[in-house]
Amino acid sequence: MSIPNETNTNQQWGGRFAEGPSAIMQAINASIGFDAKMWRQDIRGSLAHAAMLAHVGIISADDEAAIRKGLADIAQEIEAGGFEWSEALEDVHMNIEARLTERIGEAGKRLHTARSRNDQVATDFRLWTRDAMDGLAAQMLDCVKALVARAEEHAGTIMPGYTHLQPAQPTTFGHHMLAYAEMLWRDRGRMLDARARLNECPLGSAALCGTGFPIDRHMTAQALGFDGPTRNSLDGVGSRDFAMEFLAAAAICATHLSRLAEEIVIWTNPSFGFVKLSDGLTTGSSIMPQKRNPDAAELVRGKTGRMNGNLMGLLTVVKGLSLTYAKDLQEDKEGVFDSAENLTLCLAATAAMVRDMQPNTARMAAAAGEGFSTATDLADWLVRELKLPFRDAHHVTGRLVAKAEGLGVDLPGLSLEEMREVEPRIDQSVFDVLTPAASVASRRSYGGTAPENVRAMVAEWKGRLA
């Protein structure tokens, strides 16, 4: 069965493709379904290019004025929802250029002088990704502010600290919040660092080898807010590591958000009962009226998987490509758009949950003393007061834990006599270190969990954020 060719309405194909692409080819080739997102960046790039062409005398001032007016009108048309996107015109660039020529005539046909869709799309994509980075970096900062505010509020709120999700040592809720503030601050730094490397302008690289026209690439780079033009035309049109780096930074940030989301899921479980989220950030069940499901946290956790997948997808697309441009690179955008959109949602949801969640301080304090959580404090006391080598102290403490476990009590539940059956030199002062509050207060080393440390670190954070 043959597939009839559709009428060719895309003039870029020229005489060689007189019958036009087949319906299948048109469908697989078109990117307008997703790259229309870049229309603002495309217009910005074209305005800068037209201004440069007029400045160096390649087009007239009148043509440049007509292009500027036409693009402004098209921007208004798109904003108002009246622009008709055509799949036959393939992409955002050709749709806008065709509409421009329709509106202003011959001047519109001169806009594409000394550029190619290869450098045009590379420029638009960098502009779009840069804008996304700026927005996400601001959201990360907002999340950090939310975490620091909760840390200040709960600098002395005792909770269990875990390793292997087993009780380890008492910590504070404030210290826990600041751990995520550190992670998100690094995430923001990664995003801004990637932005700095992205900030070179490919415009003027043309198809792959530059152009014979006397263009001024530094002028267009400056007009678009880039630090300068890319230094190699092949690299300018053929590289997408800026997109990979964005996706990597997004995936790492999402992974940190997912870890916090997982903890919120655990903490809101009644078996833990450490925090409560309001109705606005939870859902009910269609059949079980008692349920309060932490769906916002679960969706943050779930969306991380697709962001990790977007990174792997682009790495796989690019890994076998020779220089310079290949149509495979049309697959570079959807993952970036998706990760940017979903990371925006995840950051907003996380900031909302951090500000919303209400700790059950009594339950956390009670749990902080469970599971022999002050065993390390006991070992440290044996080293400090009885001068035992730490390995010997560790062994003594292990025997005391086993004794307490056998008696069904925690370490403070052992009598002094029971302790002396294991180590005769233990005295009454040992009980001063066996409470969660004493344990937390003693952790005063830099970066430790002592409330005074947390308050000092909050002050440092507030100065940094100011």
Side-chain angles (χ1 to χ4, degrees):
M1 173 178 152
S2 62
I3 299 173
N5 289 330
E6 295 187 354
T7 302
N8 179 26
T9 57
N10 188 343
Q11 295 303 309
Q12 67 159 318
W13 288 101
R16 184 179 172 200
F17 297 95
E19 293 185 40
S22 70
I24 290 176
M25 184 62 203
Q26 179 173 298
I28 197 171
N29 198 43
S31 59
I32 191 60
F34 53 86
D35 68 15
K37 286 180 181 289
M38 300 192 300
W39 69 264
R40 291 181 179 85
Q41 291 76 23
D42 193 72
I43 288 175
R44 281 166 61 191
S46 290
L47 288 169
H49 185 66
M52 182 275 295
L53 292 177
H55 177 75
V56 299
I58 295 174
I59 65 173
S60 68
D62 288 344
D63 282 345
E64 191 269 334
I67 289 168
R68 188 176 349 109
K69 172 67 165 58
L71 289 173
D73 290 342
I74 289 170
Q76 291 181 350
E77 193 177 352
I78 298 172
E79 286 278 14
F83 190 94
E84 293 186 13
W85 300 101
S86 168
E87 188 177 273
L89 292 170
E90 290 189 15
D91 57 32
V92 63
H93 324 294
M94 296 307 298
N95 268 266
I96 290 175
E97 183 180 324
R99 181 63 175 141
L100 179 67
T101 300
E102 185 180 298
R103 294 182 73 103
I104 69 173
E106 290 294 313
K109 297 179 182 180
R110 295 190 172 96
L111 173 59
H112 207 54
T113 307
R115 76 176 181 184
S116 162
R117 278 196 300 174
N118 292 356
D119 61 333
Q120 187 179 359
V121 67
T123 302
D124 292 357
F125 194 22
R126 284 186 188 234
L127 288 171
W128 193 96
T129 304
R130 190 179 69 183
D131 291 344
M133 287 173 158
D134 290 342
L136 290 166
Q139 281 192 279
M140 291 172 195
L141 189 64
D142 181 61
C143 263
V144 171
K145 289 178 179 178
L147 289 160
V148 169
R150 298 317 300 270
E152 182 174 31
E153 183 182 356
H154 292 283
T157 298
I158 296 171
M159 69 175 294
Y162 298 97
T163 63
H164 309 275
L165 200 55
Q166 302 299 313
Q169 294 177 344
T171 185
T172 69
F173 191 65
H175 196 53
H176 205 105
M177 292 295 98
L178 289 186
Y180 284 105
E182 295 285 351
M183 294 180 211
L184 281 163
W185 188 257
R186 291 194 299 273
D187 290 330
R188 178 176 176 271
R190 261 184 291 272
M191 193 64 74
L192 295 177
D193 193 45
R195 185 197 192 281
R197 264 185 298 283
L198 168 150
N199 209 36
E200 294 178 341
C201 184
L203 195 58
S205 298
L208 71 161
C209 291
T211 178
F213 289 97
I215 62 173
D216 185 345
R217 293 191 63 206
H218 289 84
M219 178 180 174
T220 48
Q222 183 177 20
L224 294 170
F226 289 105
D227 296 331
T230 52
R231 292 177 295 279
N232 183 286
S233 61
L234 304 179
D235 177 60
V237 300
S239 295
R240 293 296 185 271
D241 52 303
F242 69 90
M244 299 176 204
E245 197 166 5
F246 167 77
L247 289 172
I252 294 170
C253 179
T255 298
H256 288 151
L257 298 180
S258 182
R259 294 184 72 181
L260 177 54
E262 169 68 3
E263 296 205 290
I264 291 172
V265 170
I266 291 169
W267 294 344
T268 55
N269 185 302
S271 298
F272 280 76
F274 291 173
V275 303
K276 182 179 180 181
L277 290 173
S278 69
D279 291 347
L281 289 165
T282 57
T283 64
S285 165
S286 63
I287 190 172
M288 297 171 284
Q290 84 282 8
K291 293 297 292 297
R292 180 190 289 269
N293 300 321
D295 281 11
E298 290 171 358
L299 286 166
V300 168
R301 187 178 61 187
K303 286 178 181 295
T304 298
R306 66 193 286 173
M307 286 185 258
N308 291 347
N310 288 335
L311 169 61
M312 188 54 61
L314 184 56
L315 290 171
T316 305
V317 165
V318 176
K319 75 173 184 63
L321 295 187
S322 60
L323 289 177
T324 54
Y325 182 82
K327 199 69 171 182
D328 308 53
L329 290 178
Q330 186 165 288
E331 297 298 315
D332 60 356
K333 298 171 195 66
E334 288 182 275
V336 169
F337 295 161
D338 183 75
S339 284
E341 178 181 340
N342 281 285
L343 186 56
T344 295
L345 281 172
C346 289
L347 284 164
T350 300
M353 288 188 288
V354 168
R355 292 186 168 106
D356 178 81
M357 59 185 178
Q358 295 303 312
N360 183 336
T361 56
R363 175 69 193 113
M364 288 197 294
E370 296 171 356
F372 310 103
S373 65
T374 57
T376 304
D377 300 277
L378 173 57
D380 288 347
W381 184 90
L382 294 169
V383 171
R384 189 170 55 250
E385 302 298 327
L386 304 186
K387 309 304 179 188
L388 288 179
F390 182 80
R391 282 298 159 209
D392 292 346
H394 187 282
H395 179 70
V396 169
T397 302
R399 291 176 63 195
L400 287 168
V401 166
K403 178 181 280 287
E405 192 170 34
L407 294 171
V409 299
D410 214 324
L411 284 172
L414 290 173
S415 67
L416 181 60
E417 290 72 22
E418 288 166 336
M419 288 191 178
R420 283 176 169 169
E421 289 173 2
V422 175
E423 171 49 65
R425 292 179 293 166
I426 293 176
D427 61 42
Q428 189 66 34
S429 68
V430 72
F431 292 98
D432 295 339
V433 303
L434 296 184
T435 65
S439 174
V440 164
S442 72
R443 309 286 172 186
R444 292 187 294 271
S445 58
Y446 185 80
T449 197
E452 64 186 75
N453 281 22
V454 176
R455 293 186 183 97
M457 195 59 68
V458 164
E460 186 177 314
W461 270 109
K462 290 170 75 174
R464 183 185 300 176
L465 295 171

